[in-house]
Amino acid sequence: MERLLLSGNEAIALGACHAGLKLAAAYPGTPSTEILEAIAKFPGIYAEWSSNEAVAVEVALGACYTGVRAMACMKHVGLNVAADAFMAASTTGVRGGLVIVAADDPGIHSSQNEQDSRNYARLGKVPCLEPSDSQEAYDFARSAFQLSEEFDTPVLLRPTTRVCHSKSVVMPSPKLELERTPQFSHEPGKLVMLPGAARERWRKVLERMEKLTIYAEKSPLNRAVEGSAELGIVASGIGFQYAREVFPNASFLKLGLTHPLPDKLIRDFAGRVKKVLVIEEVEDFIEQYLRSQGITALGKEIFPRTGEFSPDIIRDSAVKAGIIDNTPAKSWPAAGLARRPPLLCPGCPHSGVFFTLSSLGHRSTLPGKKPRPPKLTICGDIGCYTLGAYQPLGVIDTCGCMGAGISQAAGMAKAGAAEKPLAVIGDSTFMHSGINSLLNAVYNQAKICVLILDNGTTAMTGHQGHPGSGLAATRQPAARVIIEELVRGAGVRNASVVDAFDLKAVRAELRRAMASSELEVIIVRGDCPTLTRKRSRPRIINTEKCDNCGACLLIGCSAIKKSESDGIIIDSGACVGGYCALCQQVCPKEAISESIGEAV
């Protein structure tokens, strides 16, 4: 077959497709998002964005119960959400193959924490596969389905950010043509986990682990690469590729199946070399196992316990430990790359409500003005609107995990907070788990104000659909859940909708809701500018009227800049014009207006 240049995510999608995948479900999250986006393009495979990761696993598990092959995909923190469903899948086992992809993010490039999903494999007693490049991502996705069905278990596939997003050559294998008719057969002892049945199934889970441990010793997923007997390196995932670059002459035990680990294979390898190093990102998962078996190995006392590895990091650590003495020149990023903090996009509908919250809450002041003590307690959530925490907006006080903002605000109110807390959550996150928190707030009569920032998409991960977007994973129209109807159906008596780009309306509604002694929900609605691409004539600044007060800078719009030579200017290439015009609304001198040129 034709050689392909694929990212790890694209390779996982293709490998699953060629393994006979019938259904895939996911919730978008970096670095895993592109897996389902690629699968959605394949004919004959049902693909959906589920409302959260637990639902995705449950949908995939239900499909596999009918005998077809199914997959659920998420980022590492999503596996926390799906943990209950994951453990249930481990206990019942499968019928068709079931693969759960949890993409870890060493270095916390786009996450709220750094965690090692291999621990879930150990907890759930399921096999874990770790690809180190796109070819392995493709091969391991195929092998995972075979393992799943052979051992009656879900399989955890754990790529990391660098494998997910980097590209390398893939040689595909012939596609499997599985002739399977989805059919459910009743078997309560396997699928209905009442205590008596669950106890019996758990015995089978333990027996399964014994069989998998034997399999691991001979599995082609683990392999030794013979080199110098002076140094032996045990590595997995992308750490193997980096280690090969730094230690070209060493012997390697490359582990693709990292749970369960092959005891005899590791012992034989360690016995053939004088010194053993374990190189693995994040936790000392493999190293701890070696030490528990009485095998002397160096690992985390040399290499970092946190952050993403690179050849430079491994080399520097090895030099510092006296293992190697060469220090070749480090690789540096290409010159001229822009260095800037993450910002809300020009024309973002969140800018106006954050500006209003900032001004009401005394979070920012005009240049030269004395700062006042901050007012308002604002609980944030996970999404691009978390960027409202940065200056000049500075309006997010808490941010923990998906859907937590509403519950945190309710907790503050119940604890007796003097001021009515606010919660800010995006539409996709509200559908993910925010609705659960809102139901709790209704039930327990929490006197809080909830702002649902509805831009009609899952913006931060690349505009995926969700139940409130009316867009399926295939980009085709789908049924749409109307947020205000959902909120009122949940029991909220005071729910309103305001235009995100009408600052007067946003301010008036916020003042009213904050003065209310009831639970209030305000849906602030405005299209995501990078999705709709709506633009009109950009705004310009009349330098004769402008007194450089800096009010327009407080919106935090990246199209507005202050120049030492020219004062405040608007980047006409970035400004979306009349579809936003927030700067025009806040300028006290009415110095901002529509440009005269042709529409962009």
Side-chain angles (χ1 to χ4, degrees):
M1 297 183 72
E2 181 184 5
R3 286 155 53 95
L4 302 170
L5 183 62
L6 300 177
S7 70
N9 282 344
E10 292 168 333
I12 289 172
L14 184 64
C17 173
H18 285 181
L21 182 70
K22 189 69 176 179
L23 177 145
Y27 185 80
T30 305
S32 70
T33 307
E34 297 81 7
I35 300 173
L36 190 87
E37 289 182 330
I39 289 174
K41 297 174 183 175
F42 295 131
I45 300 176
Y46 171 76
E48 72 165 42
W49 292 118
S50 300
S51 56
N52 66 36
E53 296 84 355
V55 172
V57 171
E58 289 157 359
V59 168
L61 183 60
C64 94
Y65 283 165
T66 69
V68 304
R69 290 185 166 184
M71 173 182 274
C73 307
M74 63 206 70
K75 66 183 298 179
H76 61 301
V77 291
L79 193 51
N80 301 338
V81 178
D84 208 12
F86 173 76
M87 291 300 294
S90 171
T91 307
T92 66
V94 303
R95 286 213 172 111
L98 175 62
V99 176
I100 299 172
V101 183
D104 280 4
D105 185 19
I108 317 181
H109 295 284
S110 182
S111 307
Q112 63 266 43
N113 66 30
E114 182 180 72
Q115 64 185 50
D116 195 324
S117 293
R118 291 178 296 184
N119 290 300
Y120 274 107
R122 184 158 49 195
L123 176 68
K125 303 190 186 315
V126 304
C128 178
L129 308 188
E130 286 189 66
S132 65
D133 57 23
S134 295
Q135 181 67 61
E136 286 192 347
Y138 174 87
D139 292 337
F140 286 13
R142 292 183 62 128
S143 299
F145 284 104
Q146 181 182 345
L147 271 178
S148 175
E149 293 180 356
E150 182 178 349
F151 291 95
D152 187 17
T153 178
V155 174
L156 187 65
L157 184 61
R158 184 223 183 208
T160 54
T161 302
R162 203 58 49 178
V163 174
C164 290
H165 289 166
S166 60
K167 290 194 172 187
S168 59
V169 173
V170 173
M171 177 63 78
S173 301
K175 182 179 179 181
L176 297 177
E177 299 297 341
L178 301 178
E179 298 296 333
R180 295 182 180 180
T181 301
Q183 185 174 9
F184 181 77
S185 59
H186 299 273
E187 191 180 1
K190 175 177 173 61
L191 303 181
V192 183
M193 289 301 96
L194 291 167
R199 281 191 287 271
E200 181 57 30
R201 279 301 309 174
W202 198 245
R203 278 193 284 271
K204 292 186 179 298
V205 169
L206 298 177
E207 292 172 6
R208 178 178 80 202
M209 279 305 298
E210 293 177 4
K211 294 175 183 175
L212 279 165
T213 301
I214 296 170
Y215 166 81
E217 298 289 352
K218 302 291 185 183
S219 171
L221 301 171
N222 301 322
R223 58 187 170 89
V225 180
E226 299 299 336
S228 167
E230 295 296 316
L231 180 64
I233 296 174
V234 182
S236 65
I238 195 68
F240 167 73
Q241 303 290 0
Y242 296 154
R244 289 269 287 174
E245 186 174 330
V246 177
F247 307 100
N249 299 318
S251 294
F252 284 85
L253 179 56
K254 197 273 182 191
L255 297 174
L257 176 60
T258 48
H259 189 264
L261 286 165
D263 178 57
K264 184 174 184 302
L265 189 63
I266 291 173
R267 285 185 178 282
D268 289 347
F269 177 79
R272 298 198 299 271
V273 296
K274 291 184 177 178
K275 180 183 292 183
V276 178
L277 292 184
V278 179
I279 297 179
E280 54 187 330
E281 288 180 317
V282 196
E283 293 195 8
D284 51 349
F285 187 87
I286 298 171
E287 182 186 346
Q288 279 192 26
Y289 179 83
L290 264 63
R291 291 186 173 176
S292 72
Q293 301 301 307
I295 299 172
T296 302
L298 296 173
K300 290 301 179 186
E301 63 266 62
I302 297 175
F303 305 106
R305 287 185 173 272
T306 185
E308 186 180 29
F309 281 8
S310 69
D312 285 338
I313 289 174
I314 293 174
R315 185 181 295 109
D316 288 348
S317 300
V319 169
K320 189 175 181 181
I323 296 173
I324 56 176
D325 55 11
N326 59 319
T327 55
K330 291 185 176 181
S331 56
W332 296 101
L337 296 178
R339 297 178 67 86
R340 54 174 176 257
L343 296 168
L344 292 172
C345 304
C348 177
H350 307 332
S351 297
V353 68
F354 283 160
F355 168 80
T356 307
L357 286 170
S358 180
S359 58
L360 289 174
H362 301 170
R363 301 304 180 98
S364 57
T365 58
L366 292 173
K369 300 287 185 181
K370 185 178 179 181
R372 294 171 291 176
K375 294 173 60 181
L376 302 181
T377 303
I378 305 169
C379 299
D381 225 298
I382 305 292
C384 53
Y385 48 92
T386 315
L387 299 175
Y390 291 113
Q391 295 299 328
L393 299 168
V395 293
I396 301 297
D397 293 315
T398 69
C399 179
C401 59
M402 295 285 282
I406 297 176
S407 300
Q408 290 174 346
M412 292 177 183
K414 290 296 180 183
E419 292 190 348
K420 187 177 186 178
L422 291 107
V424 178
I425 187 169
D427 49 327
S428 183
T429 310
F430 179 72
M431 292 292 179
H432 176 279
S433 47
I435 181 63
N436 301 323
S437 302
L438 183 64
L439 288 169
N440 180 68
V442 171
Y443 173 61
N444 290 296
Q445 303 178 59
K447 306 300 189 292
I448 60 175
C449 180
V450 179
L451 305 180
I452 302 175
L453 308 186
D454 180 12
N455 61 6
T457 187
T458 313
M460 184 166 250
T461 48
H463 303 128
Q464 292 75 31
H466 62 72
S469 67
L471 188 68
T474 55
R475 315 301 291 179
Q476 298 300 309
R480 180 187 171 207
V481 176
I482 308 299
I483 293 178
E484 50 269 38
E485 293 178 1
L486 176 62
V487 167
R488 292 180 181 123
V492 175
R493 288 178 292 187
N494 304 316
S496 59
V497 181
V498 296
D499 180 349
F501 297 105
D502 186 342
L503 285 184
K504 287 185 178 178
V506 170
R507 180 176 289 269
E509 195 58 21
L510 271 171
R511 286 187 179 280
R512 185 201 62 76
M514 290 301 295
S516 165
S517 60
E518 302 291 326
L519 168 62
E520 299 278 346
V521 174
I522 304 173
I523 300 157
V524 186
R525 182 164 288 150
D527 291 338
C528 174
T530 59
L531 178 64
T532 61
R533 304 290 183 188
K534 290 179 180 176
R535 303 187 72 184
S536 65
R537 291 188 181 94
R539 269 35 191 170
I540 58 172
I541 295 178
N542 184 329
T543 54
E544 294 183 357
K545 290 184 176 180
C546 178
D547 62 357
N548 288 314
C549 71
C552 55
L553 296 171
L554 299 182
I555 298 173
C557 176
S558 53
I560 305 176
K561 306 170 185 175
K562 187 165 187 176
S563 165
E564 292 294 332
S565 56
D566 302 323
I568 298 174
I569 58 173
I570 295 177
D571 182 347
S572 60
C575 177
V576 302
Y579 289 102
C580 171
L582 292 174
C583 56
Q584 201 169 345
Q585 297 178 55
V586 303
C587 178
K589 300 295 182 181
E590 298 182 347
I592 300 176
S593 62
E594 182 180 359
S595 63
I596 298 175
E598 294 296 323
V600 178

